[in-house]
Amino acid sequence: MRAVLIAVAALLAVPALAQNNKGKAEDTSKVRVEAPAQAQPAAQAESFRPSPGSSGPNTPGHPSSGTPVVMDREALMRQLAGINEKLAQATGRAKKDKQLQKLLDDARGELKEVGRQVTHAPLARMEPSRPPPPPPQPTVQPITEAMLRSLVSAIRNEPFADDQLAVLEEAAPTQYFLVAQAQQLLRTFSFSRDRVKAMRLLRPRLLDLENSFKLYESFDHASDKDELKRILATPTP
């Protein structure tokens, strides 16, 4: 960056120097009046020069402490080549001004050093993007006691078993149940065969299958208990 600033200041100084030489040939009094204004760009260029013995952040052996960035090497080299060409043209026009010529030579030298560093800079390591974390799984909670009471009441309000099972069939897919809650629902059915049908609806929604042995208490016949065993052994879809 320091080399680019020097190059810009030097390019500004060259037109001013050419205008100064033309003024000398036309009117010496005009030179005396405008000399301080024309010398200003050269002074600005001088202020960009490092002090003797100093080393910039890009000097070999003096690693940069700035933030690394990723740039296109070919595009940057083309820009540096264009700046170098302009500096070469300015140097050719400034042969009569030794101080300006030295300033331009120093700028070209530093620009060359920047180009060398860019050429030999290691390739940037692009960190692979990490996939976003999976969305949190919804927390499954059993049906609330208030909802359970409402469901039990709705089942009991139906006079026939088929209608009672229809109510449970509609409600079960939207809720989860503990074994103790399933037992309360089974007690709303008068016949053991209807309880077996109810268990087929409740089995996929049971959360604590480790307590499923308690469900056998809700069945009277051995055949129904055998069917309950098969229902409980069925994997949850």
Side-chain angles (χ1 to χ4, degrees):
M1 179 59 72
R2 183 174 68 256
V4 174
L5 293 176
I6 294 174
V8 173
L11 290 175
L12 291 175
V14 172
L17 181 61
Q19 183 178 0
N20 186 19
N21 293 333
K22 182 179 179 181
K24 287 180 180 180
E26 294 178 353
D27 189 349
T28 55
S29 62
K30 183 177 180 181
V31 172
R32 287 195 298 269
V33 173
E34 295 184 357
Q38 293 172 348
Q40 184 178 358
Q44 291 177 348
E46 185 68 19
S47 64
F48 289 116
R49 298 182 61 188
S51 57
S54 64
S55 59
N58 293 326
T59 303
H62 191 290
S64 173
S65 59
T67 303
V69 296
V70 178
M71 298 184 66
D72 184 88
R73 176 178 291 172
E74 286 72 18
L76 182 58
M77 291 301 294
R78 286 194 297 269
Q79 291 178 338
L80 293 177
I83 296 173
N84 186 61
E85 177 63 23
K86 293 177 182 178
L87 287 174
Q89 295 177 8
T91 302
R93 298 178 184 179
K95 292 182 179 180
K96 296 181 179 180
D97 190 326
K98 299 299 182 182
Q99 184 178 5
L100 179 56
Q101 188 173 9
K102 184 178 185 304
L103 177 63
L104 293 172
D105 290 340
D106 291 343
R108 293 183 67 189
E110 294 193 23
L111 190 62
K112 182 178 180 181
E113 173 60 22
V114 173
R116 187 194 66 80
Q117 293 183 22
V118 172
T119 301
H120 298 287
L123 297 178
R125 294 182 179 180
M126 304 300 292
E127 293 291 337
S129 58
R130 297 181 179 180
Q137 296 297 324
T139 303
V140 177
Q141 296 292 338
I143 188 172
T144 63
E145 290 303 316
M147 287 290 295
L148 181 63
R149 287 193 297 268
S150 297
L151 180 56
V152 169
S153 177
I155 293 174
R156 286 176 176 171
N157 287 338
E158 297 297 334
F160 302 107
D162 290 344
D163 296 330
Q164 292 175 340
L165 288 170
V167 172
L168 181 60
E169 184 178 9
E170 183 177 353
T174 64
Q175 302 292 335
Y176 288 92
F177 304 90
L178 299 175
V179 167
Q181 294 173 328
Q183 287 178 295
Q184 296 183 50
L185 291 170
L186 293 176
R187 284 194 289 268
T188 62
F189 297 92
S190 301
F191 300 102
S192 183
R193 64 177 182 274
D194 296 327
R195 298 185 196 121
V196 172
K197 295 177 182 179
M199 272 307 307
R200 292 193 181 98
L201 299 174
L202 294 171
R203 165 63 182 85
R205 316 302 291 177
L206 289 179
L207 295 177
D208 56 339
L209 286 176
E210 66 275 10
N211 295 321
S212 60
F213 64 92
K214 298 179 181 179
L215 293 169
Y216 289 93
E217 302 171 358
S218 302
F219 297 89
D220 301 326
H221 306 293
S223 59
D224 294 334
K225 293 182 179 181
D226 290 341
E227 183 62 22
L228 173 63
K229 183 177 181 180
R230 286 190 289 270
I231 293 173
L232 295 175
T234 303
T236 302

